[in-house]
Amino acid sequence: MRRTDLLAALLLVAIVAALFGDVLFGGAGFYFRDLFRYHYPMKQIVRQTIAAGDLPLWNRLYAGGQPMAANPAYEVFYPPQWLIFAGPYAFGFQLHILFHVVLALTGMFALLRELRVRVATAVAGALSFGLSGFFLATVNILPTCFVWSWAPLAALFLHRFERTRARRDLALSALVLGMQALVTEPVALVGTWALLVAWIAWRGLLRGAAEGLLLIRRDVTALAIVIVLALALASVQLLPAADHLRDSARSRGMTFEQVASSSLHPSRVLELAFPRLFGSLVDDGALYWSAWRFGGRPYLLSLYCGLLVATMLVAGLACRVPGSGFAALVIATSTLLASGYHTPLARWLYDLGLIRWLRFPEKLIAPAMFVAVIFAAVVLERFVSGDRRVVRAATIAACAIAASSIVLWAISFLPSFPAAFAELWRLPRTWLPAAAMFRDTARLSAMTAVAFAAVILAGHRSISRLWWAALFATVAVDLGVFSLEVLPRMPRRFFTPPGAVAVLDRDTDAYSIFSRGDWIDSSDRRRYETAGSGAAWFIRNGLVPPSPAAWGLRTNLQRDYDETDLLPTRDLLDAMVGVAARGVETWDEPFLARSNIRYVTDYADFDKDLAAAAGDFSISQPIHIRRAGNNPRYYFASSLMRVETVQAMIDAIDQHGAMPGTAFVAIRPFQLARGRVASWHETATSAVVDVEAQGPAYLVITVTRHKYWNATLDGRSAELLPTNLAYQGLRIPPGRHRVVMRYRNPLVVAGAAISLSALLVIVLLMLPFGRGRRGDAARHDKIEIVSVSSGSLS
């Protein structure tokens, strides 16, 4: 069967190539939500840093500089991300995403084959996972996508180890779980590993008391070994990440509102059968109507895994197919945890301090989707094998879904429907077209459901090649059409520098940009952000942070959306917000001079901008750019003022104004002489600054302070001092001097040593020596199980 399996896997790869051919061969690219604004520039920084011959330890383009390798969001040590080096960056970025789609498809296929379903069934199950609305919806939140793309292989090797007791399978399990750990997405990671533990416990409980406890103890021990090896393999990321957590804004914890934001409304489980019930994803979800009732669009845009999964899941649960109890338990538990503030559980866990650093409970529904696909494939195998109860239940389920879809479509034609629809979802008058959009999406869903029900009905007579072809065609159309909605694309030119870049000075290393408009909640900004696919062009053309880094531009004083900025940076931002809260019209000026800002952007008038662009967002100019002066990156202060806290800085600016030449320091002020920066040169992890001072002077360095920065003055160690809350400074004696700064994170080195050691252990476990002894051990295990089942514990 290996040849057949290989051909089936190649078929899955070919389907991905065909479905995403515009991305692979036409220059189009994924961009939706976090993809372009957040992940695209971040990974471009990783590529450019390494290409320049620097260690990817420090990102100098964000907020005066922030840790890179220590922040798991950059995924510096995650091997599949290295595909970003393949060809032009825009292509490499898309390729490393599609790699994980292929990984999810082929991994699920291999897992289902391990579970002894036929090739055709495994292909159908793989498509239902890798091309599902659920999995493709995670693409715009890449860490979640990456972890769950490895989940089928994690389950495969662990299941095979339980069957064979082969060291090689144990090692492969550790390697796969190590890949997940390198991504360091805690919610997805805990969800995957908890699912494996639950599966082991469930299997053990089904075996009876004595034998079950023995199996649980044995398999939990094996899983513990695998997890320890996986964590050791990921130490190069985990050690610096844990250290960074203590130094970042997340160390302060988050409010319950932050933690529970994007909680899953329990009613969304209906999406398993009705993909567009809660909103349309066309035009980037511009008319996602349930957002008004649920307080915003969901974090996971879809839970849909196709009509095949919905039908077989219902049939399997109704017929109590083996495994239905485990599937029902996982789905119910995942839904409960993902519901967040819709149940008291999230509040209890938060008060106990267990979820103070986690966000977006919706991600906890992922284990339910994973198990639902596997269980549906097992039920499909029974359906094609002629299990009459399953055939009858599946037919009823498919016809019920089709009938319900037709009814929903028919209701949309009632004269009273638009008003009732608006009242149900609490829509404003401007959203009345959403009712017409619902009618269109309901028609599409009804047509697909009817076609699928016809295929299931045809399965009553015989399961022939023609029937399989019809099933695959229906599944492909069902999921393929939906994939275009949940994973939209932009043309090649979207990933080229916007016109605003040409307005800026070319010496991009010498200055930073401040997006003032991003801090102001204006009606123009809200209209840009809710303009459907036009919002993406707004982010690109408007240089909305952190997207300018994609073009090599520094930004500073930007919002910390993911709560990973260093604490000194957050203190500076809090001070700026505090000054603005006092009603100071020029609230930003005291911070521009201290943060190396040369250009300030404000958002344009929405109507005038769109009129000038003739309604074409792609050529719109949504920002006004003004020059804020030549605020240098390295300069000498004209005076010092002792300011050590956020409130003290707010009070000082409130009393004395901007004071652009004054440096706020944590030392006793002293009389300053004039100084001059003769030259400076920076890399990602170092800086060399040649200076000249006429007397005792103070050099201000607008590089975010962190404990792993060190400096020398003419080759001798010098103390870097906190300056302007977020940055650094250095006492300079009279004369000419050379200042050298270097950034080194020792935990990366220590973690790398542990990771390499773990990799060596995994490789040794995979080597074929001792094959005979392994076989003896496997036979001994089988004998022991037989003796336990007969009642003899000896």
Side-chain angles (χ1 to χ4, degrees):
M1 296 300 293
R2 288 185 177 180
R3 181 179 178 185
T4 305
D5 289 343
L6 178 60
L7 290 175
L10 290 176
L11 173 64
L12 294 173
V13 175
I15 290 173
V16 172
L19 191 60
F20 301 105
D22 57 334
V23 176
L24 286 171
F25 312 113
F30 309 121
Y31 69 94
F32 193 29
R33 295 178 85 174
D34 287 355
L35 274 179
F36 178 75
R37 180 175 180 175
Y38 183 78
H39 295 293
Y40 189 82
M42 186 175 287
K43 295 171 188 293
Q44 172 74 304
I45 294 170
V46 175
R47 173 176 160 131
Q48 290 178 339
T49 301
I50 296 175
D54 292 324
L55 294 173
L57 301 177
W58 184 260
N59 170 16
R60 55 187 179 138
L61 298 187
Y62 288 178
Q66 299 291 319
M68 188 191 309
N71 187 342
Y74 292 90
E75 291 153 353
V76 169
F77 304 108
Y78 178 56
Q81 177 174 270
W82 302 341
L83 287 169
I84 62 175
F85 291 95
Y89 172 66
F91 173 78
F93 177 78
Q94 311 301 336
L95 183 64
H96 100 290
I97 293 174
L98 290 179
F99 166 83
H100 289 88
V101 177
V102 172
L103 179 65
L105 283 164
T106 55
M108 181 57 76
F109 172 79
L111 172 60
L112 293 174
R113 291 292 288 144
E114 166 69 16
L115 296 178
R116 298 296 188 267
V117 304
R118 68 191 69 196
V119 172
T121 303
V123 170
L127 292 173
S128 299
F129 179 67
L131 297 184
S132 66
F134 154 71
F135 182 75
L136 294 183
T138 66
V139 166
N140 65 76
I141 41 177
L142 287 182
T144 300
C145 171
F146 292 170
V147 171
W148 284 103
S149 68
W150 288 101
L153 289 182
L156 163 67
F157 292 127
L158 193 65
H159 185 276
R160 202 161 72 183
F161 173 75
E162 186 277 334
R163 179 169 56 84
T164 65
R165 313 310 293 177
R167 289 198 311 263
R168 182 170 179 268
D169 293 323
L170 186 74
L172 288 171
S173 297
L175 187 63
V176 170
L177 266 63
M179 291 297 103
Q180 291 181 312
L182 280 168
V183 178
T184 321
E185 207 297 315
V187 176
L189 200 61
V190 170
T192 306
W193 295 3
L195 187 58
L196 295 176
V197 172
W199 171 71
I200 289 173
W202 184 268
R203 284 181 60 256
L205 292 175
L206 293 179
R207 294 294 186 95
E211 182 183 354
L213 288 176
L214 180 62
L215 285 173
I216 291 174
R217 185 177 63 183
R218 186 187 66 179
D219 290 345
V220 167
T221 300
L223 181 59
I225 293 172
V226 167
I227 290 178
V228 169
L229 281 173
L231 294 175
L233 183 64
S235 292
V236 66
Q237 182 64 78
L238 296 178
L239 285 183
D243 182 56
H244 178 60
L245 177 64
R246 295 181 300 178
D247 296 337
S248 71
R250 293 208 180 193
S251 64
R252 297 175 177 173
M254 289 178 278
T255 65
F256 177 72
E257 289 69 25
Q258 289 176 305
V259 169
S261 64
S262 293
S263 296
L264 179 80
H265 196 281
S267 63
R268 283 192 61 204
V269 296
L270 294 173
E271 280 185 31
L272 288 171
F274 308 103
R276 303 168 183 88
L277 182 63
F278 294 93
S280 171
L281 297 176
V282 174
D283 196 19
D284 292 3
L287 289 179
Y288 197 88
W289 43 80
S290 67
W292 289 92
R293 187 176 186 91
F294 295 156
R297 287 185 302 183
Y299 188 73
L300 289 175
L301 291 173
S302 176
L303 304 182
Y304 188 58
C305 296
L307 290 171
L308 177 64
V309 170
T311 300
M312 295 302 159
L313 177 64
V314 172
L317 293 175
C319 296
R320 296 185 181 180
V321 170
S324 59
F326 180 70
L329 176 65
V330 171
I331 292 172
T333 304
S334 289
T335 304
L336 177 64
L337 294 173
S339 297
Y341 60 72
H342 295 295
T343 72
L345 182 60
R347 185 80 227 191
W348 296 339
L349 294 175
Y350 180 84
D351 291 340
L352 291 172
L354 299 178
I355 57 172
R356 293 288 175 93
W357 296 276
L358 302 180
R359 302 175 72 186
F360 310 124
E362 275 187 27
K363 290 188 284 188
L364 292 168
I365 197 64
M369 301 298 99
F370 182 71
V371 168
V373 171
I374 297 173
F375 180 64
V378 172
V379 177
L380 175 62
E381 182 68 14
R382 284 179 169 259
F383 178 91
V384 297
S385 297
D387 186 318
R388 292 185 177 181
R389 293 179 64 246
V390 171
V391 170
R392 187 182 306 111
T395 303
I396 294 173
C399 292
I401 292 173
S404 300
S405 299
I406 293 172
V407 170
L408 287 173
W409 181 33
I411 289 175
S412 68
F413 287 95
L414 295 175
S416 60
F417 177 76
F421 185 81
E423 183 179 355
L424 172 65
W425 299 115
R426 302 173 184 171
L427 303 180
R429 291 184 178 180
T430 55
W431 275 60
L432 291 180
M437 176 67 78
F438 175 84
R439 181 183 303 161
D440 294 338
T441 59
R443 180 181 68 248
L444 178 59
S445 296
M447 292 171 59
T448 307
V450 169
F452 182 78
V455 173
I456 295 299
L457 282 169
H460 274 273
R461 299 179 180 178
S462 64
I463 305 298
S464 62
R465 291 184 178 181
L466 182 61
W467 184 85
W468 277 112
L471 180 70
F472 286 139
T474 308
V475 170
V477 171
D478 180 20
L479 296 176
V481 171
F482 196 69
S483 73
L484 296 176
E485 300 176 27
V486 76
L487 198 56
R489 276 81 106 177
M490 279 291 184
R492 186 194 303 269
R493 63 190 178 93
F494 181 83
F495 301 95
T496 59
V501 174
V503 178
L504 308 176
D505 291 342
R506 293 185 179 181
D507 56 334
T508 54
D509 277 347
Y511 64 86
S512 300
I513 303 170
F514 171 51
S515 178
R516 190 176 190 271
D518 205 35
W519 287 94
I520 300 172
D521 186 19
S522 65
S523 60
D524 291 308
R525 173 189 167 188
R526 289 194 297 273
R527 293 178 70 185
Y528 277 120
E529 292 176 337
T530 57
S533 58
W537 288 103
F538 158 65
I539 292 170
R540 172 190 180 265
N541 298 346
L543 299 179
V544 178
S547 67
W551 327 120
L553 300 173
R554 297 178 189 265
T555 53
N556 205 348
L557 301 177
Q558 69 255 37
R559 288 178 178 272
D560 180 19
Y561 286 104
D562 61 353
E563 301 283 335
T564 60
D565 277 358
L566 291 171
L567 289 171
T569 302
R570 288 303 299 271
D571 287 342
L572 184 66
L573 295 180
D574 290 344
M576 185 173 70
V577 171
V579 171
R582 294 195 175 185
V584 180
E585 186 176 351
T586 56
W587 52 269
D588 56 329
E589 288 189 4
F591 303 90
L592 302 182
R594 294 175 171 84
S595 299
N596 185 218
I597 303 297
R598 185 179 296 182
Y599 292 101
V600 177
T601 66
D602 284 289
Y603 296 146
D605 181 280
F606 181 87
D607 293 319
K608 292 181 180 179
D609 175 41
L610 207 58
D616 186 354
F617 280 103
S618 69
I619 60 172
S620 66
Q621 299 179 18
I623 54 171
H624 299 300
I625 302 176
R626 67 177 174 89
R627 195 178 181 104
N630 261 345
N631 298 313
R633 190 161 176 77
Y634 303 90
Y635 64 94
F636 280 92
S638 59
S639 63
L640 302 178
M641 178 179 290
R642 188 160 191 168
V643 170
E644 301 183 57
T645 65
V646 172
Q647 190 58 50
M649 189 172 187
I650 296 172
D651 294 339
I653 293 173
D654 191 36
Q655 295 174 17
H656 304 288
M659 300 177 290
T662 300
F664 299 130
V665 296
I667 61 173
R668 179 179 298 176
F670 59 91
Q671 189 66 34
L672 298 180
R674 290 184 178 182
R676 181 177 70 91
V677 176
S679 65
W680 61 270
H681 173 73
E682 261 187 6
T683 69
T685 56
S686 67
V688 178
V689 188
D690 291 316
V691 299
E692 183 178 354
Q694 297 178 7
Y698 194 85
L699 177 66
V700 178
I701 304 166
T702 55
V703 175
T704 305
R705 59 188 176 94
H706 191 226
K707 60 191 178 185
Y708 296 131
W709 276 110
N710 61 76
T712 61
L713 183 65
D714 299 329
R716 294 186 296 274
S717 179
E719 182 184 6
L720 290 167
L721 302 169
T723 305
N724 296 330
L725 287 187
Y727 309 121
Q728 306 178 77
L730 201 62
R731 296 174 184 263
I732 302 295
R736 294 181 179 180
H737 306 280
R738 169 162 287 190
V739 176
V740 178
M741 296 176 57
R742 288 188 175 85
Y743 185 85
R744 294 289 185 271
N745 188 332
L747 292 179
V748 171
V749 178
I754 298 173
S755 294
L756 289 174
S757 300
L759 181 60
L760 178 61
V761 171
I762 290 173
V763 170
L764 290 175
L765 286 173
M766 294 176 66
L767 292 178
F769 63 81
R771 195 180 294 267
R773 289 191 299 272
R774 266 203 325 274
D776 292 342
R779 286 192 296 272
H780 177 71
D781 286 340
K782 293 179 182 178
I783 292 170
E784 184 180 21
I785 291 174
V786 171
S787 66
V788 169
S789 62
S790 64
S792 172
L793 295 178
S794 60

